[in-house]
Amino acid sequence: MQYFPCPFCGPREETEFHFAAEAGKPRPEPAAQVSAQSWAAYLYLSAAPKGEAHEIWVHRSCGEFFVMKRNTETRAVLATTALPGRDAE
Ligand SMILES: [Zn+2]
């Protein structure tokens, strides 16, 4: 069992978390003019790097979304931070 550090609650079991999205992926705009192929790529494709990754995760227990920097190869969590405008206490 791995523990992830929620910026709001502290370390919790990984089963309490859910991957949400790749962090820093720009939404194509204006959406009405984006091709279906480009929109599908935005929604479903990710860089999926081997090594350091920046991802958005949600802690289902508190409902907060946050950024997790982790190494996908070693599974080490390098940092977790609240999203801009959401202050962790
Ligand atoms: Zn939490």
Side-chain angles (χ1 to χ4, degrees):
M1 174 69 64
Q2 185 173 12
Y3 287 82
F4 290 160
C6 172
F8 300 89
C9 306
R12 298 291 191 273
E13 293 182 359
E14 64 182 294
T15 56
E16 295 184 19
F17 296 84
H18 187 75
F19 174 81
E22 180 181 358
K25 189 164 145 181
R27 176 186 162 109
E29 298 286 354
Q33 297 176 14
V34 175
S35 71
Q37 184 177 15
S38 294
W39 193 252
Y42 164 68
L43 291 177
Y44 300 111
L45 298 180
S46 66
K50 180 180 180 183
E52 189 173 303
H54 294 82
E55 302 165 329
I56 306 293
W57 285 72
V58 60
H59 183 202
R60 295 181 298 173
S61 298
C62 71
E64 292 285 350
F65 288 79
F66 60 95
V67 177
M68 185 185 314
K69 185 167 97 176
R70 66 185 186 103
N71 186 308
T72 59
E73 186 176 7
T74 65
R75 298 185 176 190
V77 176
L78 306 172
T80 57
T81 54
L83 292 176
R86 301 294 299 170
D87 292 329
E89 297 176 13

Coordinates of all heavy atoms in Angstrom, one line a residue:
M1 N 0.9 -1.2 0.0 CA 0.0 0.0 0.0 C 0.9 1.2 0.0 O 1.8 1.3 0.8 CB -0.9 0.0 1.2 CG -1.7 1.2 1.4 SD -3.0 1.5 0.2 CE -4.1 0.1 0.5
Q2 N 0.6 2.2 -0.9 CA 1.3 3.4 -1.0 C 0.5 4.5 -0.3 O -0.8 4.5 -0.4 CB 1.6 3.8 -2.4 CG 2.5 5.0 -2.6 CD 2.9 5.2 -4.0 OE1 2.4 4.6 -4.9 NE2 3.9 6.1 -4.2
Y3 N 1.1 5.5 0.3 CA 0.5 6.6 0.8 C 0.7 7.9 0.0 O 1.9 8.1 -0.4 CB 0.9 6.9 2.3 CG 0.4 5.8 3.2 CD1 1.0 4.6 3.4 CD2 -0.8 6.1 4.0 CE1 0.4 3.6 4.2 CE2 -1.3 5.1 4.8 CZ -0.7 3.9 4.9 OH -1.3 2.9 5.7
F4 N -0.3 8.6 -0.3 CA -0.2 9.9 -1.0 C -0.4 11.0 0.0 O -1.4 10.9 0.8 CB -1.2 10.0 -2.1 CG -0.9 9.1 -3.3 CD1 -2.0 8.8 -4.1 CD2 0.3 8.5 -3.5 CE1 -1.8 8.0 -5.2 CE2 0.5 7.7 -4.6 CZ -0.5 7.4 -5.5
P5 N 0.4 12.1 0.0 CA 0.1 13.2 0.9 C -0.9 14.2 0.3 O -0.5 15.0 -0.6 CB 1.5 13.8 1.1 CG 2.3 13.5 -0.2 CD 1.6 12.2 -0.7
C6 N -2.1 14.2 0.8 CA -3.0 15.2 0.4 C -2.6 16.6 1.0 O -2.3 16.6 2.2 CB -4.4 14.9 0.9 SG -5.7 16.2 0.6
P7 N -2.5 17.6 0.2 CA -2.1 18.9 0.8 C -3.1 19.4 1.8 O -2.7 20.3 2.6 CB -2.1 19.9 -0.4 CG -2.2 19.0 -1.6 CD -2.8 17.7 -1.2
F8 N -4.3 18.9 1.9 CA -5.3 19.4 2.9 C -5.4 18.4 4.1 O -5.7 18.9 5.2 CB -6.6 19.5 2.2 CG -6.6 20.5 1.0 CD1 -6.3 20.0 -0.3 CD2 -6.9 21.8 1.2 CE1 -6.2 20.9 -1.3 CE2 -6.8 22.7 0.2 CZ -6.5 22.3 -1.1
C9 N -5.2 17.1 3.9 CA -5.4 16.2 4.9 C -4.2 15.5 5.5 O -4.2 14.8 6.5 CB -6.4 15.1 4.4 SG -7.9 15.7 3.8
G10 N -3.1 15.5 4.7 CA -1.9 14.8 5.1 C -1.9 13.4 4.4 O -2.7 13.1 3.5
P11 N -1.0 12.5 4.8 CA -0.8 11.2 4.2 C -2.1 10.4 4.3 O -2.6 10.2 5.4 CB 0.4 10.6 4.9 CG 1.1 11.7 5.5 CD 0.0 12.8 5.8
R12 N -2.5 9.8 3.2 CA -3.6 8.9 3.2 C -3.4 7.7 2.3 O -2.6 7.8 1.4 CB -4.9 9.6 2.8 CG -5.3 10.7 3.7 CD -5.8 10.2 5.0 NE -6.5 11.2 5.9 CZ -5.9 12.1 6.7 NH1 -4.6 12.0 6.8 NH2 -6.5 12.9 7.4
E13 N -4.1 6.6 2.4 CA -3.9 5.5 1.6 C -4.2 5.8 0.1 O -5.2 6.5 -0.1 CB -4.8 4.3 2.1 CG -4.3 3.8 3.4 CD -5.2 2.6 3.8 OE1 -6.1 2.2 3.1 OE2 -4.9 2.0 4.9
E14 N -3.5 5.3 -0.8 CA -3.7 5.6 -2.2 C -5.1 5.3 -2.7 O -5.5 5.9 -3.7 CB -2.7 4.8 -3.0 CG -2.8 3.3 -3.0 CD -1.8 2.5 -3.8 OE1 -1.8 2.6 -5.0 OE2 -1.0 1.8 -3.1
T15 N -5.8 4.3 -2.1 CA -7.1 4.0 -2.5 C -8.1 5.1 -2.3 O -9.2 5.1 -2.9 CB -7.6 2.7 -1.7 OG1 -7.6 3.0 -0.3 CG2 -6.8 1.5 -2.1
E16 N -7.7 6.2 -1.6 CA -8.6 7.3 -1.3 C -8.5 8.4 -2.5 O -9.2 9.4 -2.5 CB -8.3 8.0 0.0 CG -8.6 7.2 1.2 CD -8.3 7.9 2.5 OE1 -8.3 9.1 2.5 OE2 -8.2 7.2 3.5
F17 N -7.6 8.1 -3.4 CA -7.3 9.1 -4.5 C -7.7 8.6 -5.8 O -7.7 7.4 -6.1 CB -5.8 9.4 -4.4 CG -5.3 10.1 -3.2 CD1 -5.0 9.3 -2.1 CD2 -5.2 11.5 -3.1 CE1 -4.6 9.9 -0.9 CE2 -4.8 12.1 -1.9 CZ -4.5 11.3 -0.8
H18 N -7.9 9.6 -6.7 CA -8.2 9.2 -8.1 C -7.5 10.2 -9.0 O -7.5 11.4 -8.8 CB -9.7 9.3 -8.3 CG -10.2 8.8 -9.6 ND1 -10.3 7.5 -9.9 CD2 -10.6 9.5 -10.7 CE1 -10.7 7.4 -11.2 NE2 -10.9 8.6 -11.7
F19 N -6.9 9.6 -10.1 CA -6.2 10.4 -11.1 C -7.3 11.2 -11.8 O -8.3 10.7 -12.2 CB -5.5 9.5 -12.1 CG -4.9 10.3 -13.2 CD1 -3.7 11.0 -13.1 CD2 -5.5 10.3 -14.5 CE1 -3.1 11.6 -14.2 CE2 -5.0 10.9 -15.5 CZ -3.8 11.6 -15.4
A20 N -7.0 12.5 -12.1 CA -8.0 13.4 -12.8 C -7.5 13.8 -14.1 O -8.3 13.7 -15.1 CB -8.3 14.6 -11.9
A21 N -6.3 14.2 -14.3 CA -5.8 14.8 -15.6 C -4.3 15.0 -15.5 O -3.7 15.1 -14.5 CB -6.5 16.0 -15.9
E22 N -3.8 15.2 -16.7 CA -2.4 15.7 -16.8 C -2.4 17.2 -16.5 O -3.2 17.9 -17.0 CB -2.0 15.4 -18.3 CG -0.6 15.9 -18.6 CD -0.2 15.6 -20.1 OE1 -1.1 15.1 -20.8 OE2 0.9 16.0 -20.5
A23 N -1.5 17.6 -15.7 CA -1.4 19.0 -15.3 C -0.7 19.8 -16.4 O 0.1 19.4 -17.1 CB -0.6 19.2 -14.0
G24 N -1.2 21.1 -16.5 CA -0.6 22.0 -17.5 C -1.0 21.8 -18.9 O -0.3 22.4 -19.8
K25 N -2.0 21.0 -19.2 CA -2.4 20.7 -20.6 C -3.4 21.8 -21.0 O -4.5 21.9 -20.4 CB -3.0 19.4 -20.6 CG -3.3 18.8 -22.0 CD -3.6 17.3 -21.8 CE -4.6 16.8 -22.8 NZ -4.8 15.4 -22.6
P26 N -3.0 22.7 -22.0 CA -3.8 23.8 -22.3 C -5.1 23.3 -23.1 O -5.0 22.5 -24.0 CB -3.0 24.7 -23.2 CG -1.9 23.7 -23.8 CD -1.7 22.7 -22.7
R27 N -6.2 23.9 -22.7 CA -7.5 23.6 -23.4 C -7.5 24.3 -24.7 O -7.2 25.5 -24.7 CB -8.7 24.1 -22.5 CG -10.0 23.9 -23.1 CD -11.1 24.6 -22.2 NE -12.3 24.9 -22.9 CZ -13.4 24.2 -22.7 NH1 -13.5 23.3 -21.8 NH2 -14.5 24.5 -23.4
P28 N -7.8 23.6 -25.8 CA -7.8 24.3 -27.1 C -9.0 25.3 -27.2 O -10.1 24.9 -26.8 CB -7.9 23.2 -28.1 CG -8.5 22.0 -27.3 CD -8.1 22.2 -25.9
E29 N -8.7 26.5 -27.6 CA -9.7 27.5 -27.7 C -9.6 28.2 -29.0 O -8.5 28.3 -29.6 CB -9.5 28.6 -26.6 CG -9.6 28.0 -25.2 CD -11.0 27.7 -24.7 OE1 -12.0 28.1 -25.5 OE2 -11.2 27.2 -23.7
P30 N -10.7 28.7 -29.5 CA -12.1 28.6 -29.0 C -12.6 27.2 -29.3 O -12.4 26.7 -30.4 CB -12.9 29.7 -29.7 CG -12.1 29.9 -31.0 CD -10.7 29.6 -30.7
A31 N -13.2 26.6 -28.3 CA -13.6 25.2 -28.4 C -14.5 24.9 -29.6 O -14.4 23.9 -30.2 CB -14.3 24.8 -27.1
A32 N -15.4 25.9 -29.9 CA -16.3 25.7 -31.1 C -15.6 25.5 -32.4 O -16.2 25.0 -33.4 CB -17.3 26.8 -31.1
Q33 N -14.4 26.0 -32.5 CA -13.6 25.9 -33.8 C -12.6 24.8 -33.8 O -11.9 24.7 -34.8 CB -13.0 27.3 -34.0 CG -14.0 28.4 -34.2 CD -13.3 29.8 -34.4 OE1 -12.2 29.9 -34.6 NE2 -14.2 30.8 -34.2
V34 N -12.5 24.1 -32.7 CA -11.5 23.0 -32.6 C -12.1 21.7 -33.4 O -13.2 21.4 -33.2 CB -11.2 22.7 -31.2 CG1 -10.2 21.5 -31.1 CG2 -10.6 23.9 -30.5
S35 N -11.2 21.1 -34.1 CA -11.7 19.9 -34.8 C -12.0 18.8 -33.8 O -11.4 18.8 -32.7 CB -10.6 19.4 -35.8 OG -9.5 18.9 -35.1
A36 N -12.8 17.8 -34.3 CA -13.1 16.7 -33.4 C -11.9 15.9 -33.1 O -11.7 15.4 -31.9 CB -14.2 15.8 -34.1
Q37 N -11.0 15.8 -34.0 CA -9.8 15.0 -33.8 C -8.9 15.7 -32.7 O -8.4 15.1 -31.8 CB -9.0 14.9 -35.1 CG -7.8 14.0 -34.9 CD -7.0 13.8 -36.3 OE1 -7.3 14.5 -37.2 NE2 -6.1 12.8 -36.3
S38 N -8.8 17.0 -32.8 CA -8.0 17.8 -31.8 C -8.6 17.8 -30.5 O -7.9 17.7 -29.4 CB -7.8 19.2 -32.3 OG -7.0 19.3 -33.4
W39 N -9.9 17.8 -30.4 CA -10.7 17.8 -29.2 C -10.5 16.4 -28.5 O -10.3 16.3 -27.3 CB -12.1 18.1 -29.4 CG -12.8 18.4 -28.1 CD1 -13.7 17.6 -27.4 CD2 -12.7 19.6 -27.3 NE1 -14.1 18.2 -26.3 CE2 -13.5 19.4 -26.1 CE3 -11.9 20.7 -27.4 CZ2 -13.6 20.3 -25.1 CZ3 -12.0 21.7 -26.3 CH2 -12.9 21.5 -25.2
A40 N -10.6 15.4 -29.3 CA -10.4 14.0 -28.7 C -9.0 13.9 -28.2 O -8.8 13.3 -27.1 CB -10.7 13.0 -29.8
A41 N -8.0 14.4 -28.9 CA -6.6 14.4 -28.4 C -6.5 15.1 -27.1 O -5.8 14.6 -26.2 CB -5.7 14.9 -29.5
Y42 N -7.1 16.3 -27.0 CA -7.1 17.0 -25.8 C -7.7 16.2 -24.6 O -7.1 16.2 -23.5 CB -7.8 18.3 -25.9 CG -8.2 19.0 -24.6 CD1 -7.2 19.6 -23.8 CD2 -9.5 19.2 -24.2 CE1 -7.5 20.2 -22.6 CE2 -9.8 19.8 -23.0 CZ -8.8 20.3 -22.2 OH -9.1 20.9 -21.0
L43 N -8.8 15.6 -24.9 CA -9.5 14.8 -23.8 C -8.8 13.5 -23.4 O -8.8 13.2 -22.3 CB -10.9 14.5 -24.2 CG -11.9 15.7 -24.4 CD1 -13.2 15.3 -24.9 CD2 -12.0 16.4 -23.0
Y44 N -8.3 12.8 -24.4 CA -7.9 11.4 -24.1 C -6.4 11.1 -24.3 O -6.0 10.0 -23.8 CB -8.7 10.5 -25.1 CG -10.2 10.6 -24.8 CD1 -11.0 11.2 -25.8 CD2 -10.7 10.2 -23.6 CE1 -12.3 11.3 -25.6 CE2 -12.1 10.3 -23.4 CZ -12.9 10.9 -24.4 OH -14.2 11.0 -24.2
L45 N -5.6 12.0 -24.8 CA -4.2 11.7 -25.0 C -3.4 12.5 -23.9 O -3.7 13.6 -23.6 CB -3.7 12.1 -26.4 CG -4.3 11.3 -27.5 CD1 -3.7 11.8 -28.8 CD2 -4.2 9.8 -27.4
S46 N -2.4 11.8 -23.4 CA -1.5 12.5 -22.4 C -0.1 12.2 -22.8 O 0.2 11.2 -23.4 CB -1.9 12.1 -21.0 OG -1.6 10.8 -20.8
A47 N 0.8 12.9 -22.2 CA 2.3 12.7 -22.5 C 2.7 11.4 -21.8 O 3.6 10.7 -22.4 CB 3.1 13.9 -21.9
A48 N 2.1 11.0 -20.7 CA 2.5 9.8 -20.0 C 4.0 9.6 -19.9 O 4.5 8.6 -20.4 CB 1.8 8.6 -20.6
P49 N 4.7 10.5 -19.3 CA 6.2 10.4 -19.3 C 6.6 9.3 -18.4 O 6.0 9.0 -17.4 CB 6.6 11.8 -18.7 CG 5.5 12.2 -17.9 CD 4.2 11.7 -18.6
K50 N 7.8 8.7 -18.8 CA 8.4 7.8 -17.9 C 9.4 8.6 -17.1 O 10.3 9.3 -17.6 CB 9.2 6.8 -18.8 CG 10.0 5.8 -17.9 CD 10.7 4.8 -18.8 CE 11.5 3.8 -17.9 NZ 12.3 2.8 -18.7
G51 N 9.1 8.7 -15.8 CA 9.9 9.5 -14.9 C 9.0 10.6 -14.3 O 7.9 10.3 -13.9
E52 N 9.5 11.8 -14.2 CA 8.8 12.8 -13.5 C 7.5 13.3 -14.3 O 7.6 13.6 -15.5 CB 9.7 14.0 -13.3 CG 9.1 15.1 -12.4 CD 10.1 16.2 -12.0 OE1 11.1 15.9 -11.5 OE2 9.8 17.4 -12.3
A53 N 6.4 13.3 -13.6 CA 5.1 13.7 -14.2 C 4.4 14.7 -13.3 O 4.6 14.6 -12.0 CB 4.3 12.5 -14.4
H54 N 3.7 15.6 -13.9 CA 2.9 16.5 -13.1 C 1.4 16.2 -13.4 O 1.0 16.3 -14.6 CB 3.2 18.0 -13.5 CG 4.6 18.4 -13.1 ND1 5.7 18.1 -13.8 CD2 5.0 19.0 -12.0 CE1 6.8 18.5 -13.2 NE2 6.4 19.1 -12.1
E55 N 0.6 15.8 -12.4 CA -0.7 15.4 -12.7 C -1.7 16.0 -11.7 O -1.3 16.4 -10.6 CB -0.8 13.8 -12.5 CG 0.2 13.1 -13.4 CD 0.4 11.7 -13.0 OE1 0.4 11.4 -11.8 OE2 0.6 10.8 -13.9
I56 N -2.9 16.1 -12.1 CA -4.0 16.5 -11.2 C -4.7 15.3 -10.6 O -5.0 14.4 -11.3 CB -5.1 17.4 -11.9 CG1 -4.4 18.5 -12.7 CG2 -6.2 17.8 -11.0 CD1 -3.9 19.6 -11.9
W57 N -4.7 15.3 -9.3 CA -5.4 14.2 -8.6 C -6.5 14.7 -7.7 O -6.5 15.9 -7.4 CB -4.4 13.4 -7.7 CG -3.5 12.5 -8.5 CD1 -2.4 12.9 -9.3 CD2 -3.5 11.1 -8.5 NE1 -1.8 11.8 -9.8 CE2 -2.4 10.7 -9.4 CE3 -4.3 10.1 -7.9 CZ2 -2.2 9.3 -9.7 CZ3 -4.0 8.8 -8.2 CH2 -2.9 8.4 -9.1
V58 N -7.4 13.9 -7.3 CA -8.4 14.3 -6.4 C -8.4 13.3 -5.2 O -8.3 12.1 -5.3 CB -9.9 14.3 -7.0 CG1 -10.3 13.0 -7.5 CG2 -10.9 14.9 -6.0
H59 N -8.5 13.9 -4.0 CA -8.6 13.1 -2.8 C -10.1 13.0 -2.5 O -10.8 13.9 -2.2 CB -7.9 13.8 -1.6 CG -8.0 13.0 -0.3 ND1 -7.8 13.5 0.9 CD2 -8.1 11.6 -0.2 CE1 -7.9 12.6 1.8 NE2 -8.1 11.4 1.2
R60 N -10.6 11.8 -2.8 CA -12.1 11.6 -2.7 C -12.6 11.8 -1.3 O -13.8 12.1 -1.2 CB -12.4 10.2 -3.2 CG -12.0 10.0 -4.7 CD -12.4 8.7 -5.2 NE -11.6 7.7 -4.5 CZ -11.8 6.4 -4.7 NH1 -12.7 5.9 -5.5 NH2 -11.1 5.5 -4.0
S61 N -11.8 11.7 -0.3 CA -12.4 11.8 1.1 C -12.7 13.3 1.4 O -13.7 13.6 2.0 CB -11.4 11.3 2.1 OG -11.2 9.9 1.9
C62 N -11.8 14.2 0.9 CA -12.1 15.6 1.2 C -12.6 16.4 -0.1 O -13.1 17.5 0.0 CB -10.9 16.3 1.7 SG -9.5 16.6 0.5
G63 N -12.5 15.7 -1.2 CA -13.0 16.3 -2.5 C -12.1 17.4 -3.1 O -12.5 18.0 -4.1
E64 N -10.9 17.5 -2.6 CA -10.0 18.6 -3.1 C -9.2 18.0 -4.3 O -8.6 16.9 -4.2 CB -9.1 19.1 -2.0 CG -9.8 19.9 -1.0 CD -10.2 21.3 -1.4 OE1 -9.8 21.7 -2.5 OE2 -11.0 22.0 -0.7
F65 N -9.0 18.8 -5.3 CA -8.1 18.5 -6.4 C -6.8 19.2 -6.1 O -6.7 20.3 -5.5 CB -8.7 19.1 -7.7 CG -9.9 18.3 -8.2 CD1 -11.1 18.5 -7.7 CD2 -9.7 17.3 -9.2 CE1 -12.2 17.7 -8.2 CE2 -10.8 16.6 -9.7 CZ -12.0 16.8 -9.2
F66 N -5.7 18.6 -6.5 CA -4.4 19.1 -6.3 C -3.4 18.6 -7.3 O -3.7 17.7 -8.1 CB -3.9 18.8 -4.9 CG -3.8 17.3 -4.6 CD1 -2.6 16.7 -4.8 CD2 -4.9 16.6 -4.2 CE1 -2.5 15.3 -4.5 CE2 -4.8 15.2 -4.0 CZ -3.6 14.6 -4.2
V67 N -2.2 19.2 -7.4 CA -1.2 18.8 -8.3 C -0.2 17.8 -7.5 O 0.2 18.1 -6.4 CB -0.4 20.0 -8.8 CG1 0.8 19.5 -9.7 CG2 -1.3 21.0 -9.6
M68 N 0.0 16.7 -8.2 CA 1.0 15.8 -7.6 C 2.1 15.6 -8.6 O 1.9 15.4 -9.8 CB 0.4 14.4 -7.4 CG 1.3 13.4 -6.7 SD 0.8 11.7 -6.5 CE -0.8 11.8 -5.8
K69 N 3.3 15.9 -8.1 CA 4.5 15.6 -8.9 C 5.1 14.3 -8.4 O 5.3 14.1 -7.3 CB 5.6 16.8 -8.7 CG 6.8 16.6 -9.6 CD 7.6 17.9 -9.5 CE 8.7 17.8 -8.5 NZ 9.6 19.0 -8.5
R70 N 5.2 13.3 -9.4 CA 5.6 12.0 -9.0 C 6.5 11.4 -10.1 O 6.4 11.9 -11.2 CB 4.5 11.1 -8.6 CG 3.6 10.8 -9.8 CD 2.4 10.0 -9.4 NE 1.6 9.6 -10.6 CZ 1.7 8.3 -11.1 NH1 2.4 7.4 -10.5 NH2 1.0 8.0 -12.2
N71 N 7.2 10.4 -9.7 CA 8.0 9.7 -10.6 C 7.3 8.4 -11.0 O 7.0 7.6 -10.2 CB 9.4 9.3 -10.0 CG 10.3 8.7 -11.0 OD1 10.0 7.7 -11.7 ND2 11.5 9.2 -11.2
T72 N 6.9 8.3 -12.3 CA 6.0 7.2 -12.7 C 6.8 5.9 -12.8 O 6.2 4.8 -12.8 CB 5.4 7.5 -14.1 OG1 6.5 7.7 -15.1 CG2 4.5 8.7 -14.1
E73 N 8.1 6.0 -12.8 CA 9.0 4.8 -12.9 C 9.2 4.2 -11.5 O 9.0 3.0 -11.3 CB 10.3 5.2 -13.6 CG 11.2 4.0 -13.8 CD 12.5 4.4 -14.6 OE1 12.7 5.6 -14.7 OE2 13.2 3.4 -14.9
T74 N 9.5 5.1 -10.5 CA 9.7 4.6 -9.2 C 8.5 4.6 -8.3 O 8.5 4.1 -7.2 CB 10.8 5.4 -8.5 OG1 10.4 6.8 -8.3 CG2 12.1 5.4 -9.4
R75 N 7.5 5.3 -8.7 CA 6.2 5.6 -7.9 C 6.5 6.5 -6.8 O 5.6 6.7 -5.9 CB 5.6 4.3 -7.4 CG 5.2 3.4 -8.5 CD 4.5 2.2 -8.0 NE 4.0 1.3 -9.0 CZ 3.2 0.3 -8.9 NH1 2.8 0.0 -7.7 NH2 2.8 -0.4 -9.9
A76 N 7.6 7.2 -6.7 CA 7.9 8.1 -5.6 C 7.1 9.4 -5.8 O 7.1 9.9 -6.9 CB 9.4 8.4 -5.6
V77 N 6.4 9.8 -4.8 CA 5.7 11.1 -4.8 C 6.8 12.2 -4.4 O 7.3 12.1 -3.3 CB 4.5 11.1 -3.8 CG1 3.9 12.5 -3.8 CG2 3.5 10.1 -4.2
L78 N 7.0 13.1 -5.3 CA 8.0 14.2 -5.1 C 7.4 15.4 -4.4 O 8.1 16.1 -3.7 CB 8.6 14.5 -6.5 CG 9.2 13.3 -7.3 CD1 9.6 13.7 -8.7 CD2 10.3 12.6 -6.5
A79 N 6.2 15.7 -4.7 CA 5.5 16.9 -4.1 C 4.0 16.9 -4.4 O 3.6 16.3 -5.4 CB 6.1 18.2 -4.6
T80 N 3.3 17.5 -3.5 CA 1.9 17.7 -3.8 C 1.6 19.1 -3.4 O 2.1 19.6 -2.3 CB 0.9 16.8 -3.0 OG1 1.2 16.9 -1.6 CG2 1.1 15.3 -3.4
T81 N 0.8 19.8 -4.2 CA 0.5 21.2 -3.9 C -1.0 21.5 -4.3 O -1.5 20.9 -5.2 CB 1.3 22.2 -4.7 OG1 1.2 21.9 -6.1 CG2 2.8 22.1 -4.3
A82 N -1.6 22.4 -3.5 CA -3.0 22.8 -3.8 C -3.0 23.5 -5.1 O -2.0 24.1 -5.6 CB -3.5 23.7 -2.7
L83 N -4.2 23.5 -5.8 CA -4.3 24.2 -7.0 C -4.4 25.7 -6.7 O -4.7 26.1 -5.6 CB -5.7 23.8 -7.7 CG -5.7 22.4 -8.3 CD1 -7.1 22.1 -8.8 CD2 -4.7 22.2 -9.4
P84 N -4.0 26.5 -7.7 CA -4.0 28.0 -7.4 C -5.4 28.4 -6.9 O -6.4 28.0 -7.5 CB -3.7 28.6 -8.8 CG -3.0 27.5 -9.5 CD -3.5 26.2 -9.0
G85 N -5.4 29.2 -5.9 CA -6.7 29.7 -5.3 C -7.3 28.8 -4.3 O -8.3 29.2 -3.6
R86 N -6.6 27.7 -4.0 CA -7.1 26.7 -3.0 C -6.0 26.6 -2.0 O -5.0 25.9 -2.2 CB -7.5 25.4 -3.6 CG -8.5 25.4 -4.7 CD -9.9 25.8 -4.1 NE -10.3 24.8 -3.1 CZ -11.3 25.0 -2.3 NH1 -12.0 26.1 -2.4 NH2 -11.6 24.1 -1.4
D87 N -6.1 27.2 -0.9 CA -5.1 27.2 0.1 C -5.2 25.9 1.0 O -6.3 25.7 1.6 CB -5.2 28.4 1.0 CG -4.8 29.7 0.3 OD1 -4.0 29.6 -0.7 OD2 -5.4 30.7 0.6
A88 N -4.2 25.2 1.1 CA -4.1 24.0 2.0 C -3.9 24.6 3.4 O -3.1 25.5 3.6 CB -3.0 23.1 1.6
E89 N -4.5 24.0 4.4 CA -4.3 24.4 5.7 C -3.3 23.5 6.5 O -3.0 22.5 6.1 CB -5.7 24.4 6.5 CG -6.6 25.4 5.8 CD -8.0 25.3 6.5 OE1 -8.2 24.7 7.5 OE2 -8.9 25.9 5.9
Ligands
ZN1 ZN -7.7 15.5 1.4

